[in-house]
Amino acid sequence: MTELLHTADALHRLERAGRRAVVMTMGALHEGHATLVRTARELAGPAGQVVVTVFVNPLQFGAGEDLDRYPRTLDADLVIARDAGADVVFAPAVDEVYPGGDPQVRVSAGPMGGRLEGATRPGHFDGMLTVVAKLLHLTRPDLALFGQKDAQQLALIRRMVTDLNFPVQVVGVPTVREEDGLALSSRNRYLSAAERTTALALSRALFAGRDRLAAQAALRARAEAAPATDERATALARLGEIRASADAHAVSVACGGLPDAVRAAARHVLDDAARSEPPLVLDYLALVDPQDFTEAGPEFTGQAVLAVAAKVGTTRLIDNIPLEFGAHS
């Protein structure tokens, strides 16, 4: 039986034998949240405790954003949390989290918090980190799980936990997608049928970038592995692919760094969607270093995040995928 609690005192009175894992949400739970809860259940183990928080945080909504419109579906949330394995749903009121009103002291997201989502939504990440810090104190977990769909949020939470010495392990859980590729989001319910069709361009763009990376990396590897002299032509001739390999070499040189090729492939899909009806209105497309969310340069190697944000109609959506850029000569 999943307990519904509204105060931190009630939560603190609960017995806890094993590890406590927390999943923080703003409600309107869907399969993406359920996946987080199921993962928390596995990590906490049968003796552990899984807590799902449901709190619509006013601090992370800017002027003109959808705080009042944001769906509140606590009864349905309880069912989803219970079925996924939660022991407790902690749904505090605003004055439980902010007993003195809007807090005068807040967590600053720093330089990373001003990039991408932070540039579009000033103050959003300060509000997000402030409530995450408070909920970590209120719930006192050993583990805290967050979805990788909100990649910048996850990176900032990890940075805060490290920089401010929070005694909690942060776990990122891969993005959950619908069958057509659209990343699960509470905001998807706002999309009309036509808008949803346009919105699929976000995931298609990311997948196009991923596929370009794989293709370009293969072309580059093949070109670099082949001899650079007459021996090269002889070796390729034996494989019956003189023209293809010559083209591969030309492409690997002409396209410059792989990051630029990845961006170009994703941008092509988004440009097409901008001409759809209804159109996709791009906010940003970025390929970034997940450590600080600065743009990856032409010769970048290592882990990166390809991220996109756009509006379709009045609904703003975000998505991203992780990519790995190998070293090359």
Side-chain angles (χ1 to χ4, degrees):
M1 182 67 180
T2 301
E3 293 191 65
L4 174 62
L5 303 177
H6 297 286
T7 68
D9 285 344
L11 182 60
H12 296 164
R13 286 195 297 268
L14 289 181
E15 293 184 6
R16 49 186 295 188
R19 297 197 298 175
R20 174 179 286 174
V22 66
V23 174
M24 297 184 189
T25 83
M26 293 207 300
L29 302 191
H30 49 64
E31 180 57 27
H33 297 108
T35 298
L36 287 169
V37 177
R38 286 193 292 267
T39 305
R41 179 79 275 159
E42 293 173 5
L43 294 176
Q49 187 180 78
V50 175
V51 177
V52 175
T53 69
V54 175
F55 180 68
V56 181
N57 177 34
L59 295 190
Q60 63 195 76
F61 287 81
E65 292 189 337
D66 53 359
L67 173 61
D68 294 334
R69 185 185 176 203
Y70 199 87
R72 274 80 165 173
T73 58
L74 184 57
D75 290 341
D77 294 343
L78 282 168
V79 174
I80 292 173
R82 179 200 66 204
D83 291 348
D87 299 297
V88 178
V89 170
F90 177 52
V94 173
D95 58 5
E96 175 73 12
V97 179
Y98 303 118
D102 283 357
Q104 295 184 36
V105 176
R106 307 187 185 196
V107 178
S108 170
M112 195 195 320
R115 299 176 184 131
L116 298 190
E117 285 296 294
T120 300
R121 307 173 67 189
H124 166 73
F125 284 126
D126 290 355
M128 179 277 294
L129 288 178
T130 298
V131 79
V132 168
K134 296 208 65 157
L135 288 173
L136 286 174
H137 289 311
L138 293 173
T139 60
R140 302 174 183 175
D142 302 289
L143 306 167
L145 289 83
F146 299 90
Q148 291 178 359
K149 185 177 83 71
D150 296 295
Q152 193 171 3
Q153 170 180 283
L154 175 59
L156 282 162
I157 291 170
R158 283 180 164 145
R159 187 78 262 167
M160 177 184 74
V161 164
T162 298
D163 288 352
L164 301 185
N165 300 104
F166 279 79
V168 63
Q169 178 185 351
V170 176
V171 179
V173 178
T175 301
V176 178
R177 299 184 180 278
E178 301 194 37
E179 289 186 5
D180 57 11
L182 188 66
L184 284 175
S185 169
S186 302
R187 291 187 168 93
N188 290 353
R189 68 186 66 194
Y190 301 147
L191 297 169
S192 68
E195 289 170 344
R196 183 186 173 87
T197 298
T198 297
L200 293 177
L202 273 75
S203 56
R204 286 204 309 270
L206 298 178
F207 299 154
R210 178 196 62 194
D211 293 346
R212 176 62 64 86
L213 173 61
Q216 285 294 107
L219 291 174
R220 185 187 291 273
R222 189 167 64 183
E224 291 177 347
T229 62
D230 290 343
E231 295 176 12
R232 168 186 167 83
T234 302
L236 296 175
R238 292 196 190 100
L239 297 175
E241 53 177 357
I242 297 174
R243 180 175 178 181
S245 295
D247 288 347
H249 180 69
V251 168
S252 68
V253 172
C255 284
L258 295 183
D260 294 335
V262 168
R263 291 187 186 94
R267 173 75 66 171
H268 180 73
V269 175
L270 297 170
D271 287 346
D272 281 348
R275 295 186 288 271
S276 299
E277 184 54 46
L280 180 143
V281 180
L282 183 65
D283 186 345
Y284 62 76
L285 170 70
L287 181 66
V288 298
D289 183 333
Q291 296 302 311
D292 57 11
F293 270 66
T294 56
E295 282 284 347
E299 300 304 317
F300 180 88
T301 59
Q303 293 185 339
V305 172
L306 182 61
V308 63
K311 268 192 173 184
V312 183
T314 60
T315 304
R316 186 175 183 275
L317 301 170
I318 64 172
D319 200 353
N320 73 85
I321 56 171
L323 297 174
E324 181 76 29
F325 290 80
H328 55 80
S329 58

